[in-house]
Amino acid sequence: MTLLALSALVLAFCLGIASVEAGRLISYPPHIRTKPSSYIVEFESHIPKTHVSRFHAMSDVSVDRHFTKVLNGISVSVNKRDFDPNHFAKMDGIKRVWPVRYYYPASSSSSASNSSNIYSHHATGVEKALKELGVDGKGVKIGIVDSGVDYNHPELGACWKTEGCPWQYGKDFIGDKYDMTDAIPIIEPNPTPMDCEGHGTHVSGILAGRGPQVRGVAPGATFGMYRVFSCPINGQGGSADDIILQGVEAAFEDGHDIISLSLGGGAWSEEPMAVACAQIVQQGVVVVAALGNDGVGGLQTAGAPAIARGVISVGSVDNWNVTTKPGIITSTQGTQTIALSMPGNSKYPFDFESDTPLAIPAGGEDSIAGCANYTEDMTGKIVVVKRGACAFNDKVTYAYTAGAIGVICYNNVAGDMSPGVSNSVPIPFVGISDDDGKYITDTLAAGGATIKALKGATEIKLSKTGGQISSFSSIGPSAELDMVPLISAPGGNIWSTFPKKLGNYASLSGTSMAAPYISGTVALLKQARPDLDVGAITRLLVSNGKPITDPATGLKTNPFKSGAGLVNIYDAIKSRVQFDPPVLSLNDSKVSPIQGYSKLESLGNVRWAARTINIHNTDSKKSLHFSLNNAAANSLSMFLANGSFSYTPRTWPADTSSVSENELSQVYSPNAEKTIGPGKSCSVTVFIVAPKGLKDSESWYYGGFINFTLQWDGEQTTSTQVVSYGGYNGDSTIRDVLSPPSDGLPAFVDIATGMSVEDLSTMVIGNNATKAILFGLAIPSRLVEIVLVDAVTSKSAGYTLQGYNEYMPRTCPECSVPYLSAPLTKTVFTNSKLTNVTQAPAGKYHVRIRALRPFGDIAVDSDYQVWGSAEFTIA
């Protein structure tokens, strides 16, 4: 096994912070890039703001930022070697301490070509709301925290803070020179938040575009842009969370009704961004956040701050129209045009004016993914690889190292794809559909082939996956089994504004594009119904979603992928009923006879859960008659029928013709039909039964939608609203946390070469970190410990470097977190803070990894999954 850039990666891990005192000093997993010697300190709520004076008085501590609105705390930098952050955590009045970490925008591909692709608002109710109800967001303030905006763009107003200008608020917090690879990144904010990267301008067009090419969801709203991402330097486009918190706090202080966040990172609600956003929601401001783009990794890949309580988390559906670049394939079989995505790295266009040879990596099926060093010279060729097995950045790096001048990646599932890679590798990278990929590989198998792609050429085609959940969209539930996303919106292949210097327009894909779409719909709802509070807005938005049918099964798409489905803002505005809660998170439930509903006793032992839904008829003059029924959704598992682990979720039932409706999830209620008087409320109890025949060992996530058919007195028409539900079919507290053996992990590697160490009996560990252990997590874990164990006494010698880690996300080869790592030396730590240092005596040892299972108690040994290695030597 060879792992790309392993030496640099492990070195970065060694520079990170990995000490923790539960509830006080929070550590990040070692893969998370943190800013050296920098921390966010949160004070207890009763501590006055003057508490910060203690930090100003410390000679080796600089107070960088003071947060007073969204987080009662500060960010600090420490100018002292070997500083122990537990010093902060032990101070009176300190609630939590985090290392400052880096975040990234949540988009996956980009381009910059002029073309007209005005994506349709008809399916989301936006067009109908704009035309029939006359709403456009006027009077509503939306704060966007992003990479800035090219406010000179003609479709974005061509103005900044002038009378009548849509851009009345905003500030630059980062400048153009910020490089997170620097020991001390340069922060030199500009007078205005002008965008030099493109992401923020694209997001802005989705909200504020005035036409003719881009028509935003809420063009009449008033906007603020809070720039927290800089120009990409060395292929890096990240930012630190204390800078982002500054932008979020400024948006809150400026009085915005909605804060739109197209960024993310982490998997737990304990992240500083998640904590801040949850507090903002509690203070009456709507926060909308992108769920993330790790859908290729399967279930539980949702990120913070989208997973924070009260935040509207947003998944992505593919656009119905796709802007592509035509690629002309020429071979002995003739000529055929294929559809190329816009380049995944905006700096390097896929322009080849003359026929350029295509090639695939040699070595058969295992090599076609392009995830290892090539055995042949690809100089002057464009390499064709298959999606999967490793990250897109790895694919383009391997190809470039072999001499390739471009990469085409074809999808491993049905439909188009829009990959995203960093600008650090100077060759273009595009995606194509699985069908076009098969055509190219078949053509190359029959002989040679070339491709030509002319500069500036674009075309618009109908998408085969329009209206379906985007393959990149992250999937719930959260680490604590909460329902995410709550709702979905167009985010795949979205044509919008781009900085004028970068081509005026671009097609991007990502939940970054779906989040501002939802922010725009919230603005329409607030304009139409200004009396609504945050909770009511969420309830109306979610319960009026339109569940998405899976064309492969005919059932509804699982709500852990889609939330309540595709947003429909017209129906939300017109709605006269509210459901609380609008989603039912069932977590895991036990198998037993149903209690509380005698008519269901005949079902015997089943997996079930009971929940109560409060229904409020907001029509003050008419009674509401309702009935409810169930629409079962697909169930999802990360295990195939043969028991092997799969990052692409398996769907059940694969063949609905062989499964009766009674075998799917069921919903029963003693109040399935009822009448609610004008302005009155009632409560309905529902009993939800998991699908029959699903094996607990296969870790299924099931779900569906409770459809409420509504009719008011004197009206002939009916309408439907939904409450989505989802649960885990099994006991999550006994689940294995570590990645399955089929991933080849845990594994020991040589840091210098990146090669695996197969025979541990010959491995010798000394003072220097020459070896590391790699491991992965199939599901998030609250705590993972890595210790050295004496092979003779079976007693722990202490924690390894990076040996105590809290709030760990799950990993996968193609995810933003491919695997986790801990370097090995004879240095160990005898406390969980990793401050008491000692040397392990010479002898034989094992590595032991303990990963806390879901909802486990960190003090209970039986709540951990434990893995032990073979013996090796410490000299």
Side-chain angles (χ1 to χ4, degrees):
M1 176 174 65
T2 302
L3 295 166
L4 188 66
L6 179 66
S7 302
L9 185 60
V10 173
L11 178 60
F13 292 170
C14 292
L15 295 175
I17 299 298
S19 56
V20 63
E21 181 173 305
R24 303 289 290 282
L25 177 61
I26 306 299
S27 70
Y28 285 122
H31 71 279
I32 294 294
R33 190 164 197 162
T34 59
K35 186 177 179 182
S37 303
S38 299
Y39 306 91
I40 294 174
V41 180
E42 182 184 15
F43 304 140
E44 295 284 0
S45 59
H46 66 278
I47 296 299
K49 298 178 180 63
T50 54
H51 194 65
V52 70
S53 61
R54 289 195 295 169
F55 289 83
H56 281 297
M58 298 178 186
S59 60
D60 296 316
V61 175
S62 299
V63 177
D64 299 327
R65 295 167 185 85
H66 188 188
F67 309 109
T68 60
K69 302 296 183 181
V70 302
L71 192 75
N72 184 20
I74 56 177
S75 67
V76 299
S77 299
V78 179
N79 184 26
K80 182 179 181 181
R81 185 184 295 272
D82 299 326
F83 176 78
D84 179 9
N86 279 286
H87 175 70
F88 293 151
K90 292 177 181 178
M91 294 170 62
D92 291 339
I94 302 302
K95 186 175 182 179
R96 280 175 290 208
V97 178
W98 299 273
V100 171
R101 65 162 292 173
Y102 290 106
Y103 272 76
Y104 301 88
S107 64
S108 64
S109 69
S110 63
S111 70
S113 305
N114 283 304
S115 177
S116 178
N117 180 16
I118 306 173
Y119 57 89
S120 174
H121 292 321
H122 72 277
T124 60
V126 168
E127 182 177 1
K128 194 174 183 180
L130 292 171
K131 291 182 177 179
E132 294 187 16
L133 304 179
V135 292
D136 63 359
K138 184 177 181 180
V140 180
K141 295 166 61 176
I142 305 175
I144 307 168
V145 182
D146 214 291
S147 69
V149 59
D150 185 349
Y151 45 80
N152 291 323
H153 197 291
E155 296 202 35
L156 295 176
C159 58
W160 179 253
K161 292 187 178 182
T162 56
E163 184 176 355
C165 180
W167 302 99
Q168 291 295 324
Y169 304 90
K171 186 177 179 180
D172 185 358
F173 292 93
I174 196 165
D176 297 346
K177 300 178 182 179
Y178 188 90
D179 182 354
M180 64 185 192
T181 64
D182 290 344
I184 303 178
I186 299 172
I187 300 176
E188 294 180 355
N190 297 316
T192 63
M194 176 58 72
D195 187 11
C196 57
E197 193 269 351
H199 188 273
T201 301
H202 194 277
V203 163
S204 298
I206 294 169
L207 275 163
R210 298 184 167 193
Q213 288 205 40
V214 178
R215 301 196 64 85
V217 178
T222 301
F223 299 95
M225 173 57 74
Y226 303 85
R227 185 182 181 218
V228 297
F229 292 103
S230 185
C231 309
I233 299 175
N234 298 322
Q236 303 291 334
S239 181
D241 55 2
D242 60 337
I243 297 175
I244 298 172
L245 280 169
Q246 267 193 299
V248 171
E249 183 161 270
F252 177 79
E253 289 183 307
D254 283 344
H256 288 287
D257 303 294
I258 305 159
I259 297 177
S260 189
L261 301 172
S262 292
L263 50 85
W268 292 81
S269 58
E270 286 75 10
E271 296 275 343
M273 281 294 299
V275 171
C277 288
Q279 292 186 15
I280 290 172
V281 172
Q282 290 178 0
Q283 296 182 62
V285 176
V286 177
V287 177
V288 179
L291 191 67
N293 299 329
D294 278 337
V296 68
L299 291 148
Q300 292 193 281
T301 50
I307 47 84
R309 299 295 170 86
V311 170
I312 299 177
S313 52
V314 187
S316 170
V317 301
D318 283 346
N319 197 4
W320 292 264
N321 295 327
V322 182
T323 302
T324 66
K325 185 181 187 74
I328 304 169
I329 305 293
T330 302
S331 68
T332 56
Q333 302 178 37
T335 299
Q336 181 166 320
T337 300
I338 64 171
L340 305 167
S341 77
M342 295 303 175
N345 40 359
S346 58
K347 191 175 180 180
Y348 304 103
F350 196 90
D351 296 336
F352 296 93
E353 300 291 323
S354 59
D355 291 323
T356 305
L358 295 169
I360 58 176
E365 185 65 26
D366 291 340
S367 299
I368 189 64
C371 294
N373 291 319
Y374 289 22
T375 58
E376 65 271 58
D377 184 5
M378 293 293 185
T379 300
K381 298 178 181 178
I382 296 172
V383 175
V384 180
V385 297
K386 183 178 180 179
R387 182 181 187 177
C390 66
F392 294 134
N393 278 338
D394 292 346
K395 295 177 188 290
V396 70
T397 301
Y398 281 121
Y400 174 69
T401 302
I405 57 175
V407 179
I408 299 173
C409 182
Y410 64 91
N411 212 347
N412 56 1
V413 295
D416 301 296
M417 65 175 291
S418 298
V421 294
S422 74
N423 289 329
S424 59
V425 182
I427 60 174
F429 186 93
V430 296
I432 59 176
S433 69
D434 56 323
D435 289 341
D436 284 344
K438 185 176 186 306
Y439 170 76
I440 292 179
T441 55
D442 288 349
T443 300
L444 288 172
T450 61
I451 188 170
K452 179 189 296 184
L454 303 179
K455 182 178 180 179
T458 59
E459 63 181 18
I460 300 172
K461 72 168 190 173
L462 293 176
S463 172
K464 294 180 180 179
T465 56
Q468 295 295 310
I469 295 297
S470 303
S471 60
F472 57 77
S473 189
S474 289
I475 306 173
S478 73
E480 296 166 298
L481 299 187
D482 290 328
M483 176 72 77
V484 289
L486 292 181
I487 195 73
S488 294
N493 303 303
I494 304 300
W495 185 258
S496 186
T497 50
F498 221 52
K500 294 170 66 177
K501 291 182 179 180
L502 299 177
N504 283 299
Y505 302 94
S507 180
L508 300 186
S509 291
T511 53
S512 273
M513 286 63 251
Y517 200 103
I518 291 298
S519 296
T521 65
V522 172
L524 303 185
L525 181 55
K526 283 190 69 69
Q527 179 189 3
R529 301 177 64 172
D531 58 316
L532 297 175
D533 61 19
V534 173
I537 287 170
T538 302
R539 290 191 289 272
L540 288 174
L541 195 73
V542 173
S543 66
N544 283 281
K546 306 305 175 188
I548 298 168
T549 300
D550 184 344
T553 65
L555 298 177
K556 300 303 180 184
T557 298
N558 191 292
F560 287 130
K561 294 184 72 173
S562 68
L566 182 64
V567 65
N568 190 295
I569 192 57
Y570 180 88
D571 287 354
I573 292 172
K574 300 292 287 183
S575 175
R576 288 174 284 170
V577 61
Q578 291 188 31
F579 296 88
D580 187 14
V583 299
L584 302 176
S585 296
L586 307 180
N587 299 325
D588 52 5
S589 51
K590 308 303 180 184
V591 175
S592 68
I594 294 179
Q595 300 172 358
Y597 192 11
S598 59
K599 291 184 179 180
L600 301 181
E601 292 177 356
S602 61
L603 293 177
N605 287 326
V606 291
R607 190 175 298 282
W608 66 281
R611 294 291 188 272
T612 298
I613 304 170
N614 298 308
I615 307 172
H616 178 52
N617 176 15
T618 59
D619 193 313
S620 62
K621 297 180 178 180
K622 296 182 179 181
S623 293
L624 166 63
H625 309 278
F626 74 83
S627 62
L628 66 86
N629 61 72
N630 176 51
N634 295 330
S635 295
L636 303 174
S637 171
M638 302 294 283
F639 291 88
L640 302 179
N642 62 9
S644 61
F645 190 84
S646 171
Y647 289 103
T648 301
R650 171 186 168 203
T651 299
W652 181 90
D655 179 11
T656 53
S657 64
S658 62
V659 176
S660 69
E661 186 174 339
N662 290 334
E663 294 178 85
L664 304 173
S665 60
Q666 301 292 312
V667 175
Y668 304 93
S669 176
N671 311 112
E673 295 186 23
K674 203 167 184 177
T675 298
I676 309 175
K680 302 297 183 180
S681 301
C682 78
S683 296
V684 173
T685 298
V686 292
F687 295 82
I688 302 172
V689 180
K692 299 177 182 178
L694 296 182
K695 297 178 181 178
D696 287 8
S697 61
E698 293 180 339
S699 299
W700 289 97
Y701 291 84
Y702 64 93
F705 303 87
I706 304 173
N707 296 319
F708 287 86
T709 301
L710 312 169
Q711 188 173 30
W712 278 263
D713 278 349
E715 299 180 10
Q716 298 298 314
T717 59
T718 62
S719 59
T720 301
Q721 291 183 216
V722 300
V723 172
S724 56
Y725 63 87
Y728 175 70
N729 189 74
D731 183 355
S732 63
T733 65
I734 63 173
R735 293 189 66 184
D736 282 345
V737 178
L738 296 172
S739 294
S742 58
D743 273 9
L745 300 175
F748 292 84
V749 295
D750 184 283
I751 294 175
T753 66
M755 301 301 295
S756 61
V757 179
E758 304 295 345
D759 184 4
L760 295 192
S761 66
T762 63
M763 186 174 78
V764 179
I765 302 299
N767 290 319
N768 299 321
T770 61
K771 304 293 188 295
I773 184 167
L774 306 186
F775 62 98
L777 299 180
I779 57 176
S781 178
R782 165 71 173 76
L783 175 63
V784 177
E785 300 175 337
I786 309 155
V787 298
L788 288 181
V789 178
D790 189 300
V792 177
T793 66
S794 298
K795 292 182 178 180
S796 170
Y799 296 103
T800 68
L801 294 167
Q802 311 293 354
Y804 194 93
N805 300 284
E806 286 194 299
Y807 302 112
M808 305 283 271
R810 57 155 307 193
T811 63
C812 83
E814 292 183 74
C815 292
S816 54
V817 185
Y819 51 83
L820 302 164
S821 172
L824 299 175
T825 71
K826 63 189 306 179
T827 298
V828 292
F829 303 87
T830 57
N831 64 334
S832 62
K833 300 174 185 178
L834 305 190
T835 54
N836 295 342
V837 183
T838 188
Q839 301 290 307
K844 299 291 184 179
Y845 288 84
H846 307 280
V847 164
R848 184 176 67 204
I849 299 176
R850 294 204 318 159
L852 190 65
R853 301 183 194 274
F855 307 109
D857 185 333
I858 61 174
V860 177
D861 288 343
S862 60
D863 285 352
Y864 289 82
Q865 180 189 358
V866 180
W867 175 88
S869 75
E871 288 185 14
F872 55 87
T873 300
I874 289 184

